[in-house]
Amino acid sequence: MSLRRTFCAIGLLTTSVTPVFAATYGPELQGFKYPYPLKHFNFQSQGQSLQMGYMDVPAKGSPNGRSVVLMHGKNFCGATWESSIKALSDAGYRVIAPDQIGFCTSSKPAYYQYSFQQLASNTHQLLEKLGVQKATLLGHSTGGMLATRYALMYPEQTEQLAMVNPIGLEDWKALGVPYLTVDQWYARELNVSAEGIRNYQLNTYYVGRWKPEYERWVDMYAGLATGPGRKRVAWNSALIYDMILNQPVYYEFKNLQMPTLLLIGTSDTTAINKDIASPQVKARIGHYDRLGKQVAKLIPRATLVEFTGLGHAPQMEAPEKFHTALLQGLNAL
């Protein structure tokens, strides 16, 4: 049986966007400053020596003996969890925020067979190295799909599961979203620009409301995508998009047995390839005001928390409201 709570978004005003030209960063985001010390986990995977960047932040408040692993989204990085890391650490949690292979400060292999299982296995190896035997998972966007896969693979190591506007609440391919080859994705990713990122995030993530602090994340993403490693970054991004579209977790939500918290900004309209879908398909997908409720019914021990009027990243739009709900939810599960 699912439980549901609703938080209304008030006092959020539309703000004009002043474009800022992005810097450029190295292929592993060299030059971009992370909010906490960045460490690296070196390991072997698919015959290659790879490294994962990660932050491991101890409890700042009274330690509660619990760990939270943060899983970032497709167009996000571990750094974008900055306010959530602080809130969780202040509340007594140890917080581990890795960058997955192919993203941000981690390796961009020339070839990698991407799967959510592989990324979950990589993360599990990292946690074993850090001595974390059991953890709460908090996944945002694509990180929600990864957190779901991790929880299904390692249920004994997953104390709780929490997801913030996860993608994968519907199977876009089955609903008729057009297929793109990896080569087509690669061509699209080579054309990424700061202006395009900003406009997409404004309309999809923030429901037309912009704040100056969002510009840092545009700079981060655009600086990586247009920097000296742009071709390697674009290629890995293309492979990851192919993974997302072809490896749905939707059909396995019913198998999640751990307490699960769904944190949903109801005005989110995220749906990959919606821009090239037919009008009929476009009208059917990306409605988080309905998707959150539907998936909460599929997950046996789900609690749904809705943020009315917020978009794809409520933890960034309304951090105080979001973190109050997150901490209450984790304590109640």
Side-chain angles (χ1 to χ4, degrees), residues 57-68 85-95 327:
V57 181
K60 187 175 181 182
S62 299
N64 59 19
R66 299 167 68 186
S67 299
V68 178
I85 294 172
K86 182 179 187 306
L88 288 161
S89 174
D90 287 350
Y93 290 89
R94 177 185 182 181
V95 187
L327 293 171

Side-chain angles (χ1 to χ4, degrees), residues 41 43-44 120-130:
F41 170 50
F43 66 108
Q44 294 289 316
S121 175
N122 297 345
T123 304
H124 191 252
Q125 289 182 64
L126 169 64
L127 296 182
E128 284 188 322
K129 182 216 174 200
L130 297 178

Side-chain angles (χ1 to χ4, degrees), residues 53-112:
Y54 69 96
M55 293 173 286
D56 184 359
V57 181
K60 187 175 181 182
S62 299
N64 59 19
R66 299 167 68 186
S67 299
V68 178
V69 180
L70 306 182
M71 296 181 170
H72 59 77
K74 170 67 178 66
N75 299 330
F76 299 82
C77 293
T80 52
W81 285 113
E82 180 174 4
S83 65
S84 297
I85 294 172
K86 182 179 187 306
L88 288 161
S89 174
D90 287 350
Y93 290 89
R94 177 185 182 181
V95 187
I96 300 157
D99 286 332
Q100 297 298 325
I101 295 299
F103 295 85
C104 311
T105 64
S106 294
S107 298
K108 315 291 185 306
Y111 175 79
Y112 204 61

Side-chain angles (χ1 to χ4, degrees), residues 33-304:
K33 183 174 176 57
Y34 264 43
Y36 296 91
L38 182 66
K39 303 178 182 180
H40 291 94
F41 170 50
N42 298 298
F43 66 108
Q44 294 289 316
S45 178
Q46 300 185 19
Q48 303 175 74
S49 296
L50 302 176
Q51 69 170 20
M52 291 176 67
Y54 69 96
M55 293 173 286
D56 184 359
V57 181
K60 187 175 181 182
S62 299
N64 59 19
R66 299 167 68 186
S67 299
V68 178
V69 180
L70 306 182
M71 296 181 170
H72 59 77
K74 170 67 178 66
N75 299 330
F76 299 82
C77 293
T80 52
W81 285 113
E82 180 174 4
S83 65
S84 297
I85 294 172
K86 182 179 187 306
L88 288 161
S89 174
D90 287 350
Y93 290 89
R94 177 185 182 181
V95 187
I96 300 157
D99 286 332
Q100 297 298 325
I101 295 299
F103 295 85
C104 311
T105 64
S106 294
S107 298
K108 315 291 185 306
Y111 175 79
Y112 204 61
Q113 185 172 346
Y114 277 99
S115 69
F116 286 114
Q117 287 91 338
Q118 179 69 73
L119 298 184
S121 175
N122 297 345
T123 304
H124 191 252
Q125 289 182 64
L126 169 64
L127 296 182
E128 284 188 322
K129 182 216 174 200
L130 297 178
V132 177
Q133 298 179 352
K134 202 163 192 174
T136 291
L137 308 180
L138 176 58
H140 172 234
S141 191
T142 301
M145 294 184 76
L146 175 57
T148 298
R149 179 57 59 201
Y150 186 102
L152 290 166
M153 290 174 66
Y154 306 106
E156 297 302 318
Q157 285 77 48
T158 304
E159 183 175 10
Q160 300 169 314
L161 173 62
M163 295 184 280
V164 187
N165 284 74
I167 64 171
L169 299 184
E170 53 191 343
D171 182 353
W172 293 316
K173 185 174 64 173
L175 293 171
V177 170
Y179 173 76
L180 292 180
T181 67
V182 170
D183 289 327
Q184 288 172 317
W185 275 116
Y186 178 60
R188 284 176 61 143
E189 290 300 283
L190 285 175
N191 289 320
V192 165
S193 68
E195 181 180 7
I197 294 166
R198 188 181 297 108
N199 289 336
Y200 176 79
Q201 293 187 357
L202 171 65
N203 295 317
T204 303
Y205 294 172
Y206 308 120
V207 202
R209 299 180 294 257
W210 192 259
K211 297 178 182 178
E213 54 263 39
Y214 301 157
E215 198 64 39
R216 182 183 174 204
W217 310 124
V218 173
D219 177 85
M220 175 193 71
Y221 180 21
L224 179 66
T226 61
R230 60 185 292 269
K231 290 185 178 179
R232 185 67 64 87
V233 169
W235 181 248
N236 277 263
S237 183
L239 295 174
I240 290 163
Y241 272 121
D242 188 73
M243 173 187 72
I244 292 168
L245 267 295
N246 288 294
Q247 298 180 27
V249 297
Y250 173 78
Y251 305 103
E252 296 171 83
F253 285 133
K254 66 182 186 299
N255 298 327
L256 292 168
Q257 296 303 316
M258 64 288 300
T260 300
L261 183 65
L262 278 173
L263 300 141
I264 303 294
T266 62
S267 292
D268 189 5
T269 59
T270 301
I272 293 176
N273 279 355
K274 184 170 68 173
D275 58 318
I276 60 174
S278 69
Q280 294 80 7
V281 171
K282 189 179 298 185
R284 293 174 59 193
I285 59 178
H287 298 286
Y288 275 74
D289 55 339
R290 299 201 301 259
L291 291 170
K293 297 179 181 67
Q294 291 170 6
V295 171
K297 293 178 181 178
L298 298 177
I299 299 174
R301 300 174 65 186
T303 298
L304 173 64

